[in-house]
Amino acid sequence: MSDNNNRPSAKEQQPLVIFMPSGRRGRVAPGQSLLDVARQMGVEIESICGGRLTCGKCKVRIEEGDFQKHGIQSTAKHLSPANEEEQWLLERINGTDCRLSCSAYVYGDMLVSVPEESRAQKQVIRKSATERVIDIAPAIRKVYVEVDQAELGEHRGDWGRLQAALREQWQLEDLTVDLQVLRRLQPVLRQGKWAVTVTLWHDREVIDVQPGYVEGIYGLAVDIGSTTVAGHLCDLRTGEILATESTMNPQVTYGEDLMSRVSYAMMHQDGLEKMHKAIIDTLNRLAVSAAKQADIQARDIHEAVLVGNTTMVHILLDINPTELGGAPFALANRDAMDIKARELKLRLHPGAYVHVLPSEAGHVGADNVAVLIAEEPHRQDENLLVVDVGTNAEIVLGNKEWMYSASSPTGPAFEGAQIAYGVRATPGAIERVRIDPETKEARFRVIGDERWSDEWRLGSGASPDEQPKHLAVGICGSGIIEVVAEMYLTGILWPDGRFNTTIESDRIQWDGRKGSYILATGEESANHEPILVTQDDVRNIQLAKAALYAGAKLLMNRANIKAVDRIILAGAFGSFIDPKYAMVLGLIPDCDLEKVYAVGNAAGDGARIALLNKDKRREAQEIAYWVRYIETAVDPDFQTEFVNAIHLPNKEDSFPHLAGILPEVSVAENGSPARGERRRRLRTKVIKTEE
Amino acid sequence: MSDNNNRPSAKEQQPLVIFMPSGRRGRVAPGQSLLDVARQMGVEIESICGGRLTCGKCKVRIEEGDFQKHGIQSTAKHLSPANEEEQWLLERINGTDCRLSCSAYVYGDMLVSVPEESRAQKQVIRKSATERVIDIAPAIRKVYVEVDQAELGEHRGDWGRLQAALREQWQLEDLTVDLQVLRRLQPVLRQGKWAVTVTLWHDREVIDVQPGYVEGIYGLAVDIGSTTVAGHLCDLRTGEILATESTMNPQVTYGEDLMSRVSYAMMHQDGLEKMHKAIIDTLNRLAVSAAKQADIQARDIHEAVLVGNTTMVHILLDINPTELGGAPFALANRDAMDIKARELKLRLHPGAYVHVLPSEAGHVGADNVAVLIAEEPHRQDENLLVVDVGTNAEIVLGNKEWMYSASSPTGPAFEGAQIAYGVRATPGAIERVRIDPETKEARFRVIGDERWSDEWRLGSGASPDEQPKHLAVGICGSGIIEVVAEMYLTGILWPDGRFNTTIESDRIQWDGRKGSYILATGEESANHEPILVTQDDVRNIQLAKAALYAGAKLLMNRANIKAVDRIILAGAFGSFIDPKYAMVLGLIPDCDLEKVYAVGNAAGDGARIALLNKDKRREAQEIAYWVRYIETAVDPDFQTEFVNAIHLPNKEDSFPHLAGILPEVSVAENGSPARGERRRRLRTKVIKTEE
């Protein structure tokens, strides 16, 4: 491998190496491996085997070499030739046009191209309405080491020898070892002929050791929702999502909403135990099923990141959530935690850790912190409002200067509860609604059928194709938003939420002073009874949206801003509602509709991001402390804002972006039309004043 | 609390405080508590409650105050008066002649006497042949804290508030919390009305939290021997031993000696599991029974220190000991370990840790390191030899400059195995022997009877009082040492170990060329058959003692010393043998007999010392690395020394301290008497040359 250059003086000149695409360049001492040269220049090339020609991860392409030196045609090798082992490995990985940087030694100038897959600092793009690049820097990694054989007269022990090998070959110091690993260490070392692949957690603890060279490192990110548990199984080397699984949270048996689960834990001796076991069993099943999809085993999963609201996290950790059920809503622990999965009886790898993201306050949990990690309001120049709608809505308003959060007691109306004909989002549930402004006739779409109801053909004369796949069974969350919004836009409702008594339509029924709107006729309905939207339904939606809006307004007041620049709707509910209708009803404050996005399960995405990148965990901990949480329950401003937000929006006050959309009615102080003849007191106790 | 001194200028002079018995003195700013003043001067006064007048541990006696200042009679209070709370507490702890240093504020000169029980740095004296002072500085401690109540609008969580309280009141930073503690934290804080006693492990992890002020912190030190498991339950505040328990190691069922247990683990699928479970169950029973003796619960034990030979430690940790069964005798782990007790299914406190001391090499384990901690050869000016006799003997030779260790394969002869009439040390076992030099008649003592056999009266004519409590059932380890030594001293044996053919006695029987000695007659024996010492018994003792001696000699050669200054016999066996007989047989090298001590279970003492003092654990780790282990199995010198040591000692060569004790026979090169008529070759394969 010596340089045969005719001019020895040239040999003294250090070779120039340029790495692409980073463009980093420098002169280096000759005879070093390209891998070492790259590291010196801060170019991160992946390597699992540490230069033992086993992993093939460090391949690079030599794009150009200065084969002419000092004007004289040179036969010099700029790079040592590939030996047999390298050639064999390059063929095996389809890389014969490449070199392995660990065994290619530099002797002359060259331009080296590092392909994407060889870069140590990989990235993935989060596919969502708000695309984001995620750097792959997980908390766990695998390294391959060759360990000194045990010899008579040398007493370090197998763990001592493994530590020495990790220190020498990977510069890893002060490692601890899981007892489970220690139990298998001796046979594994011998089975691997003193070559093993070690899995490290935070470069601090050895959590697994496998004989020989082994690839593949996997993690699970799970968002434990009150209703749904959703997980992503990820390849932690590439960042790829290998499987996505979601399942019902079986705790629903013990209570639909959080408060009823807290009550269940309070009222039953074994309540906590049952709910804890239910979620652990579910996570175990989810892990098995996701692993199966990805063609691995659940015990190949070496880490999990779990998020959930505070009650879910308490129950997950087998901590009684009773204190969350009443003021002052004290958390057992706000901080992030790392716990051995086996301690929770999670059947991942026996050495696996579970990382639980931190919470913000008694009612804003790790799931919201995950949303922040995914949506990054704390990195924005603009004022970003993030709304995660559920039984409790978590609201965050912030930018890179400040951030506020709050939890708003919206109640379950948005989920179809407290609605006369409300149902969960199941096939046949009405999810989209349009009302003709002139005739007040409705058409709708149900879940499970792409067509609008006015395209259906009903009755025995219709062919199966023409008939709807599902007749209407009720109204789900997004449907109730749309129908109430459409009723308002078409003048069926007054701004104060009462039915407009001046409209004459067969669609409107009256029971004394209370109106109802026939959304689906008996013919269109699965049980042949018409599906109605009642005055009480409208009231409940008003109360829910007022709570949400008041929360957002409270934060805007605290931040002393008049308008937000962007709004993100997180969570499943947010994905199904049309931003226009959400704003027409006043769920969210005024904003350019083009700047209102639904991002789906941002909490799950945040969990995945924290799984792929350990630095994001530190960031999560920081923002969990940094965000200023406003307790709506005791804030007098919240009550005021709530009362002010009961009415439906009108362009005159705070919704300039709805100009041309909102109905052309001017509104008196109590919310009924100024021209209106019925100046009756609105029948809810939250109304402040009567004129 | 102001000073009423007539001369204000005196007030400006800082009071002089002298602490006794340390004699530390200094002038201090007035108005500080005596506790703070003491700390500033490096006088450690105990305090659990941190100055809240709860624990009463910081009491001091004011011996003298300079009540005359500047020649003028002063009515100044040199110390703030005791308030009601302090007075009440002082009465309760019978300390009305004392003050509590946390609530006595200094305003004038004084001499303060800190009683032994108030000193933070307590000590206990190890009661043993080698008395040693043990500083009490355990790895765990209890502190009392008052925690901020949870309040609306404050989101630290209960653990965050507890951390803050520990930081402010005890300067404890970067604490972690056991999940088990987190699970109980909220109810405990409320039950204690926001005052709790926290148990800390290494000031790093919170392992327990109890409501209110709670005293008492306990630890368990256990030496897991192959045959016997012995434990001390200690009060970790005072260092006191509250209970001592010992029990059989139930693994004996799976093999008497270590190698047969290693084989059992190799040959049986569930061998390791069974033996592991057996020792865990035993430790659990031992903990319960020791706790009961001390009137506490096993779950009040917050830490345990465990030691044992390497095989015992592997099995304890559920690590297969197979590798210890053959060269190169690789340990899974040489280092000390801290493991949650519950991970081993030890039912101590759920947050408790187990500390396992480090090992030295494949055959010298944590029990030997414990012996070193207890006997401290590494702190001696003299050359100290420590011999722990068992199936394997561990031998350490060292001083403060250097230290060597070895393991010698003595075999089980010293434990009564491989001896024709050998038995374990049970009632009726012969443990002491004397032979009349003239008549060659024997008298002996059995375990369970204080009288010598020549004081017994046998037969129906004897009263029950006159009859022995137990007839002889066999010869135990110490008995075999004494009888062989006495046979040698009385000329029955030649120095080469053969029976002296020139002696005529009814006590000696001949089977061809092999003699036997009748130690107990049929009358004296429980089964009416005489109890004999055979030529093979003598040979087996010779082999065992040669192994032991050769090990010691090997280390002396390595250290390049001719003689040792002191010898310590550790272990139960060492306690029962008479140093004189041990030296007469040549188990140990020559030494002033006054400087040979038996110290009993030094391994158990070492475990107790490591339990009481965490610094000793660091020292253990250091000496485990520092000691130079000599592998006898492959050392050619060992073979030579072994062969040289087969004969019984004679004063001509290397036992000057036995002058006047050894028989007056000169010895030819092959070990038989020079004047002897039977120059036969000694029938063991280890004999080197025939003349």
Side-chain angles (χ1 to χ4, degrees):
Chain A
M1 301 190 191
S2 69
D3 192 336
N4 297 325
N5 197 314
N6 296 335
R7 295 172 53 149
S9 70
K11 211 173 167 181
E12 287 154 41
Q13 194 191 321
Q14 293 195 319
L16 175 72
V17 182
I18 306 172
F19 285 98
M20 296 302 286
S22 68
R24 299 209 179 193
R25 63 182 63 208
R27 296 203 170 269
V28 300
Q32 300 183 88
S33 77
L34 262 176
L35 186 61
D36 286 339
V37 165
R39 278 182 188 155
Q40 287 159 27
M41 293 193 199
V43 175
E44 298 276 2
I45 295 179
E46 185 164 17
S47 169
I48 298 178
C49 70
R52 295 168 190 288
L53 288 173
T54 312
C55 73
K57 294 284 179 279
C58 67
K59 72 176 179 194
V60 293
R61 201 167 280 115
I62 309 304
E63 298 284 345
E64 197 184 329
D66 174 19
F67 285 85
Q68 288 222 324
K69 273 196 177 170
H70 311 282
I72 295 170
Q73 188 69 31
S74 156
T75 57
K77 287 181 194 121
H78 291 233
L79 209 55
S80 63
N83 61 20
E84 267 185 42
E85 255 180 302
E86 184 183 341
Q87 281 174 23
W88 178 85
L89 185 54
L90 283 170
E91 271 166 40
R92 209 174 52 120
I93 61 171
N94 296 321
T96 46
D97 57 339
C98 293
R99 289 297 305 275
L100 294 176
S101 59
C102 68
S103 73
Y105 297 86
V106 178
Y107 291 94
D109 298 352
M110 69 188 65
L111 183 71
V112 183
S113 177
V114 184
E116 170 63 27
E117 68 265 32
S118 298
R119 284 174 216 151
Q121 302 295 341
K122 288 195 182 52
Q123 297 182 324
V124 285
I125 307 295
R126 175 186 170 215
K127 290 178 195 101
S128 161
T130 56
E131 273 198 0
R132 237 175 266 292
V133 171
I134 308 168
D135 289 324
I136 311 297
I140 55 172
R141 64 162 167 155
K142 279 190 166 165
V143 298
Y144 171 84
V145 277
E146 294 179 359
V147 182
D148 292 344
Q149 286 196 29
E151 272 178 26
L152 210 56
E154 186 271 293
H155 314 292
R156 286 176 294 174
D158 282 15
W159 167 235
R161 278 185 292 275
L162 178 59
Q163 275 177 292
L166 288 165
R167 188 163 46 237
E168 285 154 23
Q169 295 162 40
W170 293 96
Q171 292 74 53
L172 290 161
E173 301 272 359
D174 299 323
L175 296 176
T176 59
V177 59
D178 189 318
L179 181 59
Q180 303 272 351
V181 172
L182 209 51
R183 285 174 178 159
R184 290 181 299 109
L185 182 60
Q186 296 198 307
V188 165
L189 275 170
R190 284 149 188 85
Q191 195 186 331
K193 298 193 170 53
W194 302 93
V196 290
T197 302
V198 171
T199 307
L200 292 148
W201 177 75
H202 281 291
D203 281 1
R204 281 210 302 267
E205 181 182 321
V206 171
I207 59 168
D208 193 14
V209 57
Q210 295 164 282
Y213 173 78
V214 185
E215 271 188 39
I217 184 150
Y218 309 100
L220 187 67
V222 185
D223 171 32
I224 304 171
S226 319
T227 312
T228 308
V229 180
H232 295 298
L233 177 64
C234 298
D235 183 322
L236 296 186
R237 201 177 64 75
T238 62
E240 198 188 339
I241 298 179
L242 302 177
T244 295
E245 285 280 326
S246 97
T247 177
M248 283 285 284
N249 186 334
Q251 292 169 359
V252 168
T253 322
Y254 308 107
E256 285 268 343
D257 58 36
L258 295 178
M259 280 318 299
S260 49
R261 290 192 212 162
V262 171
S263 302
Y264 191 82
M266 289 168 72
M267 308 302 285
H268 297 79
Q269 185 74 49
D270 60 351
L272 170 62
E273 192 191 324
K274 276 184 178 167
M275 292 191 288
H276 171 67
K277 195 170 175 309
I279 188 62
I280 295 296
D281 289 349
T282 298
L283 290 172
N284 278 327
R285 273 196 302 272
L286 186 140
V288 166
S289 139
K292 200 171 177 184
Q293 250 195 68
D295 211 15
I296 62 169
Q297 306 285 318
R299 58 170 292 137
D300 295 330
I301 300 171
H302 277 92
E303 200 188 24
V305 170
L306 305 182
V307 303
N309 59 55
T310 52
T311 304
M312 289 302 102
V313 166
H314 274 65
I315 296 174
L316 167 74
L317 301 179
D318 203 9
I319 299 174
N320 198 304
T322 297
E323 290 301 326
L324 300 175
F329 313 110
L331 291 164
N333 174 28
R334 178 173 55 166
D335 297 340
M337 287 197 86
D338 289 299
I339 301 160
K340 280 276 172 192
R342 64 175 183 260
E343 179 132 40
L344 296 174
K345 298 204 165 53
L346 287 175
R347 291 189 300 275
L348 311 177
H349 187 276
Y353 272 95
V354 163
H355 180 82
V356 181
L357 285 183
S359 299
E360 292 164 41
H363 285 147
V364 184
D367 51 354
N368 192 248
V369 173
V371 169
L372 300 185
I373 286 299
E375 298 305 332
E376 302 188 330
H378 54 289
R379 290 177 183 277
Q380 310 302 317
D381 293 316
E382 295 179 310
N383 297 325
L384 174 60
L385 179 73
V386 183
V387 179
D388 194 344
V389 184
T391 311
N392 270 279
E394 287 103 38
I395 308 166
V396 178
L397 175 65
N399 59 33
K400 63 187 180 190
E401 306 284 339
W402 46 259
M403 197 154 64
Y404 292 91
S405 74
S407 166
S408 252
T410 47
F414 292 145
E415 292 174 343
Q418 295 182 350
I419 300 297
Y421 291 80
V423 291
R424 283 190 177 280
T426 51
I430 295 172
E431 57 167 352
R432 291 270 169 271
V433 178
R434 295 291 180 275
I435 298 178
D436 186 295
E438 300 305 320
T439 63
K440 315 300 180 199
E441 289 299 309
R443 58 196 180 108
F444 57 83
R445 251 168 52 187
V446 298
I447 294 176
D449 198 330
E450 287 295 297
R451 292 169 302 180
W452 288 89
S453 59
D454 58 356
E455 300 167 55
W456 294 358
R457 280 204 60 196
L458 297 165
S460 51
S463 72
D465 268 6
E466 293 168 324
Q467 285 179 353
K469 289 180 189 145
H470 305 276
L471 287 166
V473 297
I475 316 170
C476 73
S478 58
I480 193 76
I481 299 287
E482 291 206 359
V483 68
V484 176
E486 281 279 309
M487 284 164 71
Y488 177 49
L489 292 177
T490 55
I492 297 171
L493 296 178
W494 275 327
D496 66 2
R498 282 178 300 141
F499 275 68
N500 184 342
T501 50
T502 65
I503 288 181
E504 298 216 352
S505 163
D506 291 348
R507 287 275 175 169
I508 302 177
Q509 293 182 347
W510 291 95
D511 173 15
R513 282 186 298 256
K514 283 185 173 181
S516 330
Y517 178 76
I518 300 171
L519 173 55
T521 61
E523 251 197 320
E524 294 165 333
S525 159
N527 70 353
H528 310 304
E529 298 287 336
I531 293 171
L532 306 181
V533 179
T534 69
Q535 180 69 73
D536 285 345
D537 294 347
V538 176
R539 288 276 173 264
N540 284 329
I541 289 296
Q542 280 179 280
L543 293 172
K545 75 100 187 175
L548 195 55
Y549 186 88
K553 206 64 199 306
L554 183 68
L555 299 191
M556 289 165 71
N557 292 348
R558 284 303 159 95
N560 203 19
I561 60 169
K562 294 281 174 231
V564 300
D565 299 316
R566 278 198 297 140
I567 298 177
I568 282 176
L569 299 170
F573 179 71
S575 305
F576 293 113
I577 55 176
D578 184 323
K580 184 184 86 174
Y581 291 111
M583 202 180 297
V584 162
L585 280 192
L587 268 71
I588 51 176
D590 186 64
C591 183
D592 180 353
L593 274 173
E594 305 243 313
K595 291 193 160 185
V596 182
Y597 314 85
V599 294
N601 183 6
D605 276 1
R608 181 165 64 94
I609 291 168
L611 176 68
L612 295 178
N613 188 316
K614 60 181 181 299
D615 303 325
K616 288 288 172 183
R617 302 182 192 179
R618 197 167 32 239
E619 192 176 312
Q621 183 77 24
E622 283 164 12
I623 57 177
Y625 274 70
W626 184 60
V627 63
R628 280 137 87 185
Y629 178 76
I630 310 299
E631 192 76 65
T632 54
V634 290
D635 198 304
D637 287 359
F638 180 77
Q639 292 303 321
T640 310
E641 291 296 343
F642 178 73
V643 170
N644 289 343
I646 290 286
H647 285 190
L648 300 172
N650 64 83
K651 67 179 167 42
E652 285 172 11
D653 37 52
S654 42
F655 286 88
H657 282 101
L658 289 177
I661 297 173
L662 289 181
E664 290 289 334
V665 285
S666 63
V667 177
E669 201 169 294
N670 74 351
S672 59
R675 62 189 153 107
E677 45 278 74
R678 294 161 64 109
R679 293 187 164 253
R680 228 174 263 278
R681 181 179 170 190
L682 194 59
R683 246 184 238 89
T684 100
K685 64 174 192 287
V686 294
I687 282 298
K688 188 175 54 173
T689 52
E690 187 180 3
E691 207 183 277
Chain B
M1 299 189 194
S2 69
D3 193 335
N4 298 326
N5 198 312
N6 298 335
R7 295 172 54 146
S9 70
K11 210 174 167 182
E12 286 154 45
Q13 193 190 322
Q14 293 195 318
L16 174 71
V17 181
I18 306 172
F19 286 97
M20 294 305 285
S22 68
R24 299 207 180 194
R25 63 182 64 208
R27 295 203 171 269
V28 300
Q32 300 183 86
S33 78
L34 262 176
L35 187 62
D36 286 340
V37 165
R39 278 182 188 154
Q40 287 159 29
M41 292 192 199
V43 175
E44 298 277 2
I45 295 179
E46 185 164 22
S47 169
I48 298 179
C49 71
R52 293 169 192 287
L53 288 174
T54 311
C55 73
K57 295 283 180 280
C58 67
K59 71 175 180 196
V60 293
R61 200 167 281 114
I62 310 303
E63 299 283 345
E64 196 183 328
D66 174 19
F67 284 86
Q68 289 220 324
K69 272 191 175 172
H70 310 283
I72 295 169
Q73 187 72 29
S74 159
T75 58
K77 286 179 194 124
H78 290 232
L79 209 54
S80 65
N83 62 20
E84 268 185 40
E85 256 179 303
E86 185 183 343
Q87 282 175 21
W88 179 84
L89 185 54
L90 283 169
E91 270 167 38
R92 210 175 51 122
I93 61 172
N94 296 322
T96 44
D97 57 337
C98 294
R99 289 297 305 274
L100 295 176
S101 58
C102 69
S103 71
Y105 298 88
V106 178
Y107 291 95
D109 299 352
M110 69 188 66
L111 182 72
V112 181
S113 178
V114 184
E116 170 63 29
E117 68 265 31
S118 298
R119 284 174 215 151
Q121 302 294 341
K122 289 197 182 51
Q123 298 182 324
V124 286
I125 308 296
R126 175 183 171 218
K127 290 179 196 101
S128 161
T130 57
E131 273 197 0
R132 236 175 267 293
V133 171
I134 308 167
D135 289 324
I136 310 297
I140 54 172
R141 64 161 167 156
K142 280 190 165 162
V143 298
Y144 170 85
V145 277
E146 293 178 1
V147 182
D148 292 344
Q149 285 198 29
E151 272 178 26
L152 210 56
E154 186 270 296
H155 313 293
R156 285 176 295 173
D158 281 14
W159 166 236
R161 277 185 293 274
L162 178 59
Q163 275 178 292
L166 288 165
R167 189 163 45 237
E168 286 154 23
Q169 294 162 40
W170 293 95
Q171 292 75 51
L172 291 161
E173 300 273 356
D174 299 324
L175 295 177
T176 60
V177 60
D178 189 316
L179 180 58
Q180 304 272 351
V181 171
L182 210 49
R183 285 174 179 159
R184 290 180 297 108
L185 183 59
Q186 296 197 308
V188 165
L189 274 171
R190 284 151 189 82
Q191 197 186 328
K193 299 194 167 52
W194 304 93
V196 291
T197 301
V198 172
T199 307
L200 292 147
W201 178 75
H202 281 292
D203 282 1
R204 282 210 300 271
E205 181 183 321
V206 171
I207 59 169
D208 193 12
V209 59
Q210 295 163 282
Y213 174 79
V214 184
E215 271 188 38
I217 183 150
Y218 309 99
L220 186 67
V222 185
D223 172 31
I224 304 171
S226 319
T227 313
T228 309
V229 179
H232 294 299
L233 177 64
C234 298
D235 182 322
L236 297 185
R237 201 176 64 76
T238 62
E240 197 188 339
I241 298 180
L242 302 178
T244 295
E245 284 280 326
S246 99
T247 177
M248 285 284 285
N249 186 333
Q251 293 170 356
V252 168
T253 322
Y254 308 107
E256 285 268 342
D257 58 36
L258 294 178
M259 280 318 299
S260 48
R261 290 193 212 161
V262 172
S263 303
Y264 190 83
M266 289 168 73
M267 309 302 283
H268 297 80
Q269 186 73 49
D270 59 351
L272 171 62
E273 192 190 323
K274 276 184 179 167
M275 291 190 289
H276 170 68
K277 194 171 175 311
I279 188 62
I280 295 296
D281 289 349
T282 299
L283 290 172
N284 278 328
R285 274 196 301 273
L286 186 137
V288 166
S289 137
K292 199 171 177 183
Q293 252 194 67
D295 211 16
I296 61 169
Q297 306 284 319
R299 59 169 294 139
D300 294 330
I301 300 171
H302 277 92
E303 199 187 25
V305 170
L306 304 182
V307 304
N309 60 56
T310 53
T311 304
M312 289 302 101
V313 166
H314 275 64
I315 296 174
L316 168 73
L317 300 180
D318 202 12
I319 299 174
N320 198 304
T322 297
E323 291 301 326
L324 300 175
F329 313 110
L331 291 165
N333 174 29
R334 179 173 54 166
D335 296 340
M337 287 196 86
D338 289 299
I339 301 160
K340 280 277 170 190
R342 65 175 183 260
E343 179 132 42
L344 296 174
K345 296 202 165 55
L346 287 174
R347 290 190 301 275
L348 311 178
H349 187 274
Y353 272 96
V354 163
H355 180 83
V356 182
L357 284 182
S359 298
E360 291 164 42
H363 285 148
V364 184
D367 51 353
N368 192 249
V369 173
V371 169
L372 300 185
I373 286 299
E375 298 304 332
E376 303 188 329
H378 55 289
R379 292 176 182 277
Q380 309 303 317
D381 294 316
E382 296 179 309
N383 298 324
L384 174 60
L385 180 73
V386 183
V387 180
D388 194 345
V389 183
T391 311
N392 270 278
E394 286 103 38
I395 307 166
V396 179
L397 176 65
N399 59 33
K400 64 187 179 191
E401 305 284 336
W402 44 260
M403 197 156 63
Y404 292 91
S405 74
S407 165
S408 250
T410 47
F414 292 145
E415 293 175 343
Q418 296 180 350
I419 300 296
Y421 292 79
V423 291
R424 283 188 178 280
T426 49
I430 295 171
E431 57 164 353
R432 292 269 169 272
V433 178
R434 294 292 180 275
I435 298 177
D436 187 295
E438 301 306 317
T439 62
K440 315 301 179 199
E441 290 297 311
R443 58 193 180 110
F444 56 83
R445 253 171 47 189
V446 299
I447 294 177
D449 199 330
E450 288 293 299
R451 292 170 301 179
W452 289 88
S453 58
D454 58 357
E455 300 166 55
W456 295 358
R457 281 202 60 196
L458 299 166
S460 50
S463 74
D465 268 7
E466 293 169 324
Q467 286 180 352
K469 290 184 190 142
H470 305 275
L471 287 166
V473 297
I475 316 170
C476 73
S478 58
I480 194 77
I481 300 286
E482 291 206 359
V483 68
V484 175
E486 281 279 309
M487 285 162 72
Y488 178 48
L489 291 177
T490 55
I492 297 170
L493 296 177
W494 276 327
D496 66 3
R498 281 178 302 141
F499 274 69
N500 185 343
T501 51
T502 67
I503 288 180
E504 298 215 353
S505 163
D506 291 346
R507 286 276 177 168
I508 302 175
Q509 294 180 344
W510 292 95
D511 173 16
R513 284 188 297 259
K514 282 186 174 179
S516 332
Y517 178 76
I518 301 171
L519 173 54
T521 61
E523 250 197 320
E524 293 165 332
S525 157
N527 71 352
H528 312 303
E529 301 284 336
I531 292 170
L532 307 180
V533 180
T534 70
Q535 179 69 72
D536 285 344
D537 294 346
V538 176
R539 286 277 173 265
N540 284 330
I541 288 296
Q542 281 179 279
L543 293 172
K545 75 100 186 175
L548 194 56
Y549 185 88
K553 207 64 201 303
L554 183 69
L555 299 191
M556 289 166 71
N557 293 348
R558 286 301 159 94
N560 204 21
I561 61 169
K562 294 280 175 232
V564 298
D565 299 317
R566 276 197 297 139
I567 299 177
I568 282 176
L569 300 170
F573 179 71
S575 304
F576 293 112
I577 55 177
D578 184 323
K580 183 184 85 173
Y581 291 111
M583 203 180 295
V584 163
L585 279 192
L587 268 71
I588 50 176
D590 186 63
C591 182
D592 180 351
L593 274 174
E594 305 241 314
K595 291 194 162 183
V596 182
Y597 315 85
V599 294
N601 183 6
D605 276 1
R608 182 165 63 94
I609 290 168
L611 176 68
L612 294 179
N613 187 317
K614 60 182 181 300
D615 303 325
K616 288 288 170 182
R617 302 182 192 178
R618 196 166 35 238
E619 192 176 313
Q621 183 77 23
E622 283 163 13
I623 57 178
Y625 274 69
W626 184 61
V627 63
R628 280 137 88 183
Y629 177 77
I630 309 299
E631 193 76 67
T632 54
V634 291
D635 198 304
D637 286 359
F638 180 78
Q639 292 304 319
T640 312
E641 291 295 345
F642 177 72
V643 169
N644 289 342
I646 290 286
H647 285 189
L648 300 173
N650 64 82
K651 66 177 169 39
E652 285 173 11
D653 37 52
S654 43
F655 286 86
H657 281 103
L658 290 178
I661 296 174
L662 291 180
E664 289 290 332
V665 286
S666 63
V667 177
E669 201 170 297
N670 73 351
S672 61
R675 65 191 152 106
E677 44 279 71
R678 295 162 61 110
R679 292 186 165 256
R680 229 173 262 278
R681 181 181 170 190
L682 192 59
R683 247 182 238 89
T684 101
K685 64 177 194 284
V686 294
I687 283 298
K688 188 173 56 173
T689 53
E690 186 179 7
E691 208 183 275

